Amino acid sequence: ECADISLKDIDQVAKSSFPLCMRYLFEKLKEDHHLKHGGRMQLGLFLKGVGLNLDDALAFWRAEFSKRVGLEKFEKQYAYGIRHNFGKEGKRTDYSPYSCTKIISSTPGTGDHHGCPYRHFSEENLRAALSRMGVNSRAMEDVIDKARNRHYQLACTLTFEALHGMPCDAGINHPNQYFSDSRKILQ
Ligand code: SF4
């Protein structure tokens, strides 16, 4: 159903249609040219779900990681993991993108950027991230209130509604659902 995303559109699409958890990983990757394992898994499987094919996924990660670790080390240490996510290595399991429940229950450590920002960010950092995303001050208080009361997916749903000016009656339960619902509205 949702049209596959090509590499040239990815920056624009990340801004308009990625949920905060993925947008944050995406920005950190561009900033640091690196993500630790948990972040590579969470973002990598999401991008696969968005329709990035294996060649584009390899090109995407290579472009960033090679700036930090060099091409050779990328091919040796990281390309395998990407092919693995696509079921091309190891047990050839075709790994599925993570749901909100799985992401919310993860436990990011120091230097990790994966997880759900509504749960894992401090209130101050969450406010800053939401405001960068374009959430207005009126919606902000409702989102923060939901996050404070541990209704993380509701907080994400309210963010979606504030950014799209449309109700999301089903609620957000998967980052790839956030993405496809957003594309349906914006395309
Ligand atoms: Fe991502 Fe789900 Fe958290 Fe939204 S509620 S930021 S989609 S994990």
Side-chain angles (χ1 to χ4, degrees):
E1 22 114 317
C2 80
D4 286 357
I5 297 305
S6 69
L7 216 44
K8 67 173 175 34
D9 302 324
I10 202 163
D11 290 282
Q12 184 244 315
V13 163
K15 276 208 178 71
S16 63
S17 296
F18 281 16
L20 183 53
C21 56
M22 299 305 172
R23 198 172 146 143
Y24 180 64
L25 282 170
F26 189 84
E27 283 170 1
K28 278 292 165 195
L29 172 64
K30 298 263 163 171
E31 207 176 293
D32 300 344
H33 315 300
H34 191 271
L35 282 179
K36 291 173 87 173
H37 179 74
R40 295 200 300 276
M41 291 298 286
Q42 184 177 308
L43 179 62
L45 292 172
F46 168 78
L47 290 174
K48 184 177 85 162
V50 151
L52 207 65
N53 64 36
L54 174 60
D55 284 342
D56 278 356
L58 282 167
F60 171 77
W61 292 101
R62 185 186 295 121
E64 294 306 324
F65 269 66
S66 62
K67 287 182 198 157
R68 171 86 170 257
V69 301
L71 257 183
E72 199 181 323
K73 190 166 175 194
F74 171 81
E75 297 300 341
K76 262 200 203 132
Q77 275 191 22
Y78 299 101
Y80 176 92
I82 295 156
R83 285 195 295 270
H84 193 263
N85 283 352
F86 279 80
K88 305 291 182 206
E89 302 277 7
K91 285 184 291 170
R92 297 185 181 258
T93 315
D94 206 358
Y95 291 99
S96 306
Y98 296 166
S99 68
C100 292
T101 314
K102 184 172 168 106
I103 293 171
I104 288 169
S105 64
S106 67
T107 49
T110 316
D112 279 330
H113 301 302
H114 66 276
C116 173
Y118 300 98
R119 171 161 193 198
H120 297 113
F121 279 17
S122 68
E123 186 174 316
E124 193 190 350
N125 287 347
L126 181 57
R127 278 180 189 275
L130 289 168
S131 134
R132 274 201 305 279
M133 234 183 160
V135 173
N136 66 39
S137 50
R138 206 166 48 90
M140 179 79 74
E141 297 315 312
D142 292 339
V143 173
I144 295 292
D145 183 63
K146 291 284 182 266
R148 226 185 248 146
N149 289 294
R150 301 179 176 209
H151 300 303
Y152 310 115
Q153 289 169 241
L154 273 178
C156 191
T157 305
L158 290 181
T159 303
F160 181 99
E161 292 181 341
L163 294 178
H164 295 81
M166 296 270 263
C168 174
D169 297 328
I172 299 300
N173 52 57
H174 200 293
N176 289 88
Q177 174 225 342
Y178 183 111
F179 177 80
S180 58
D181 285 359
S182 170
R183 297 289 287 171
K184 269 181 224 145
I185 293 170
L186 298 177
Q187 254 173 351

